[in-house]
Amino acid sequence: MVLVLPHLIVFLLVLLPISSIAQNNGNVTVGNSLTATDNTTSWLSPSGDFAFGFRPLSNQKDLFLLSIWFDKIPDKTVVWYARADKSLSIGGANPVPRGSKVELDADKGLVLTGPQGDELWRSNTIVGTVSYGVMSNTGNFVLQDSNFNNLWQSFEDPKDTLLPSQTVERSAGVVLYSRQSETNFSKGRFLLKLQDDGDLLLNTINLPTDNANDPYYNSGTVASVNDSGTAGKQLVFNNSGYIYILRENNQTFLLSQVKLDSTADFYYRATLNFDGVFTQYSHPKTSDANGSWTSLWSMPDNICLATVSNSGSGTCGYNSICTLKSDRRPKCDCPIGYSLLDPNDQYGSCQPEFIQGCQEDKLSPGKDLYSFEVLINTDWPNADYAFLKPYTEDQCQQSCMEDCMCAVAIFRLGDSC
Ligand SMILES: *[C@@H]1O[C@H](CO)[C@@H](O)[C@H](O)[C@H]1NC(C)=O
Ligand SMILES: *[C@@H]1O[C@H](CO)[C@@H](O)[C@H](O)[C@H]1NC(C)=O
Ligand SMILES: *[C@@H]1O[C@H](CO)[C@@H](O)[C@H](O)[C@H]1NC(C)=O
Ligand SMILES: *[C@@H]1O[C@H](CO)[C@@H](O)[C@H](O)[C@H]1NC(C)=O
Ligand SMILES: *[C@@H]1O[C@H](CO)[C@@H](O)[C@H](O)[C@H]1NC(C)=O
Ligand SMILES: *[C@@H]1O[C@H](CO)[C@@H](O)[C@H](O)[C@H]1NC(C)=O
Ligand SMILES: *[C@@H]1O[C@H](CO)[C@@H](O)[C@H](O)[C@H]1NC(C)=O
């Protein structure tokens, strides 16, 4: 008994300094865990710029998102989140209930479990034994073994956002998916990837599959006829905040010529927004100025026109009218006589507030059941079933009126219907 006591005291003296250091260098040891509650703690990077942990969802009481966020700004903007894909047998959605827990495990890496202990997500394919995790000042959460080898990095498993010092390797098959909406972090309808031939693509996809429509942006960084060195090999977000495609021949293809301020004064991020626009943002680091994210550049130039494709509704839902705002983000509105299918989803589809069909026409023969709303500079692409020419505007309207299948008539170029 007497012999045990001195050991115990020595043990405590050693343990205390280590645990306080552990908080300052972003170092998380195996066995550490966080629980999703109102006053949940998080794992901070040494500079305090980034935090890893549970963020409460603003619009959903009792739901939390395992994520990494900018911790020093009021927005607490999320840059990475755990998203369990349906294809994984462990399943589960990305917002998790109160009482869920994330633990750093030596063999499994990060393991997210629900309040009942059911596994919801884990950092996949850990080969080796994890010694600790590090929330680094770049925003990258890294799991390392005892020889400082990286076993897993959040930077290699990006969601919708890239940060300075992050690269996407062509060969890694990494894909950025947009979210469903600003507040719903489920997989959305847009993706960004560096394709095998070196081309950087933005595609709309046909959920719930990943089947992609024709790209609505492509960089063109492929091998040229006589020079395979021009193919892109990496998407680079360098430490100064510039985003470019690095070609096989080490030349760079800058996505934007915009001059940037120093990363000492500004945070940068690039996000594939839920509406399909890929945007680079900056945010002042000083906390006294009430900063917000400023859009520096984005692609494509006009998402309303660019996402027209042979399948899918584009950036707005079906029957919804897309207009481009000054920040090059889309605005989706229902036409007069139509209303949102889901009143909470401004970007979703619109349904008619009337019943239209051939049956209705037959029941009231000779009666004008419908009238026209005229919209200027508006098109309804890829849905034509008749093309009448030459035709006047009146003939065009009349032909639609007399056709019980017709919902819209497009008149253009002074003679085409
Ligand atoms: C994290 O902690 C472990 C154990 O104390 C230590 O060996 C390692 O060097 C630390 N890593 C960093 C990046 O500080
Ligand atoms: C966290 O919040 C719960 C309930 O809101 C409270 O019971 C608990 O004491 C709080 N814990 C700490 C460490 O503040
Ligand atoms: C997010 O959107 C998906 C697909 O529309 C839906 O199934 C899910 O319930 C939504 N999640 C939340 C938290 O609202
Ligand atoms: C490839 O061909 C084009 C056109 O023939 C030529 O202008 C260019 O210099 C060639 N590039 C190389 C690397 O040979
Ligand atoms: C980042 O890229 C830009 C543009 O190519 C270049 O001017 C700058 O020196 C690069 N910065 C770093 C840290 O590599
Ligand atoms: C490109 O740069 C890398 C790293 O600096 C180097 O190893 C490689 O040989 C270079 N490739 C070419 C084609 O210059
Ligand atoms: C920041 O915002 C707060 C609240 O809106 C306001 O009271 C304060 O004056 C603002 N500070 C600056 C520097 O704009």
Side-chain angles (χ1 to χ4, degrees):
M1 275 306 197
V2 177
L3 281 173
V4 169
L5 268 175
H7 280 100
L8 193 63
I9 289 161
V10 171
F11 180 60
L12 282 175
L13 285 175
V14 174
L15 186 72
L16 284 173
I18 286 180
S19 72
S20 65
I21 290 167
Q23 288 207 330
N24 293 333
N25 66 4
N27 207 335
V28 179
T29 30
V30 164
N32 275 15
S33 67
L34 297 171
T35 304
T37 56
D38 291 329
N39 45 18
T40 178
T41 54
S42 51
W43 294 331
L44 282 181
S45 71
S47 63
D49 287 323
F50 290 96
F52 177 99
F54 291 101
R55 282 211 61 70
L57 284 193
S58 53
N59 61 335
Q60 298 270 340
K61 208 176 172 301
D62 296 325
L63 285 183
F64 295 79
L65 187 70
L66 181 64
S67 49
I68 298 170
W69 63 88
F70 282 98
D71 198 53
K72 281 187 178 171
I73 61 176
D75 265 9
K76 310 281 183 206
T77 312
V78 167
V79 296
W80 178 91
Y81 41 93
R83 184 187 58 220
D85 287 307
K86 279 208 196 94
S87 56
L88 297 179
S89 54
I90 50 176
N94 51 58
V96 296
R98 179 183 302 279
S100 299
K101 191 174 108 173
V102 65
E103 182 167 352
L104 186 55
D105 182 276
D107 301 316
K108 297 187 229 164
L110 291 165
V111 183
L112 174 62
T113 48
Q116 268 74 50
D118 43 322
E119 185 171 317
L120 299 174
W121 175 89
R122 73 163 80 163
S123 52
N124 266 332
T125 52
I126 300 291
V127 179
T129 304
V130 178
S131 287
Y132 51 88
V134 181
M135 182 67 254
S136 72
N137 286 334
T138 57
N140 190 12
F141 193 88
V142 188
L143 303 183
Q144 293 187 328
D145 66 14
S146 53
N147 296 320
F148 305 102
N149 297 311
N150 293 342
L151 302 181
W152 182 86
Q153 309 180 47
S154 60
F155 269 15
E156 290 184 351
D157 182 27
K159 291 301 177 291
D160 61 359
T161 296
L162 297 174
L163 293 171
S165 82
Q166 189 166 8
T167 58
V168 173
E169 298 285 338
R170 181 184 66 197
S171 52
V174 165
V175 179
L176 267 70
Y177 292 96
S178 64
R179 344 175 161 157
Q180 280 278 333
S181 69
E182 202 60 51
T183 51
N184 183 326
F185 292 79
S186 295
K187 193 194 270 188
R189 290 188 291 122
F190 306 90
L191 65 75
L192 176 147
K193 70 174 171 198
L194 192 57
Q195 196 172 242
D196 287 343
D197 63 1
D199 215 0
L200 183 72
L201 304 182
L202 288 171
N203 293 97
T204 52
I205 56 171
N206 295 271
L207 288 173
T209 68
D210 269 7
N211 190 33
N213 298 314
D214 290 340
Y216 60 93
Y217 166 87
N218 77 304
S219 61
T221 48
V222 295
S224 51
V225 180
N226 52 1
D227 183 4
S228 64
T230 55
K233 62 174 173 183
Q234 268 182 352
L235 176 62
V236 179
F237 198 160
N238 81 6
N239 288 329
S240 326
Y242 289 89
I243 306 180
Y244 55 83
I245 297 162
L246 186 66
R247 300 180 190 263
E248 295 284 0
N249 60 16
N250 286 344
Q251 287 180 350
T252 58
F253 175 90
L254 273 174
L255 293 189
S256 159
Q257 303 297 329
V258 171
K259 283 286 292 167
L260 301 179
D261 293 310
S262 165
T263 46
D265 303 325
F266 286 87
Y267 292 119
Y268 289 104
R269 71 178 164 102
T271 300
L272 178 57
N273 291 295
F274 70 90
D275 52 24
V277 181
F278 183 67
T279 308
Q280 181 172 4
Y281 296 93
S282 72
H283 190 296
K285 281 190 175 175
T286 48
S287 50
D288 52 328
N290 280 347
S292 62
W293 290 105
T294 305
S295 163
L296 301 173
W297 59 268
S298 63
M299 57 193 212
D301 290 338
N302 184 336
I303 185 96
C304 294
L305 296 181
T307 54
V308 170
S309 117
N310 48 2
S311 63
S313 65
T315 188
C316 298
Y318 296 100
N319 293 337
S320 179
I321 298 173
C322 185
T323 33
L324 203 64
K325 296 186 291 180
S326 57
D327 61 0
R328 305 221 282 179
R329 301 283 296 276
K331 185 167 166 293
C332 304
D333 295 295
C334 293
I336 291 170
Y338 288 68
S339 56
L340 286 173
L341 198 55
D342 172 358
N344 297 318
D345 185 7
Q346 185 64 43
Y347 296 81
S349 299
C350 305
Q351 57 184 340
E353 291 161 343
F354 53 91
I355 298 169
Q356 190 200 352
C358 299
Q359 207 59 36
E360 279 65 32
D361 268 12
K362 274 197 200 120
L363 291 175
S364 338
K367 266 197 178 170
D368 275 351
L369 292 177
Y370 310 108
S371 64
F372 271 103
E373 282 295 332
V374 178
L375 303 170
I376 305 296
N377 289 337
T378 308
D379 197 1
W380 185 307
N382 291 352
D384 302 357
Y385 72 91
F387 184 26
L388 307 167
K389 182 184 166 172
Y391 237 44
T392 66
E393 193 176 331
D394 282 346
Q395 286 176 309
C396 192
Q397 276 205 19
Q398 197 55 35
S399 71
C400 188
M401 267 307 197
E402 289 167 359
D403 180 348
C404 65
M405 301 290 281
C406 180
V408 63
I410 317 280
F411 184 71
R412 75 171 100 215
L413 302 172
D415 71 341
S416 301
C417 177

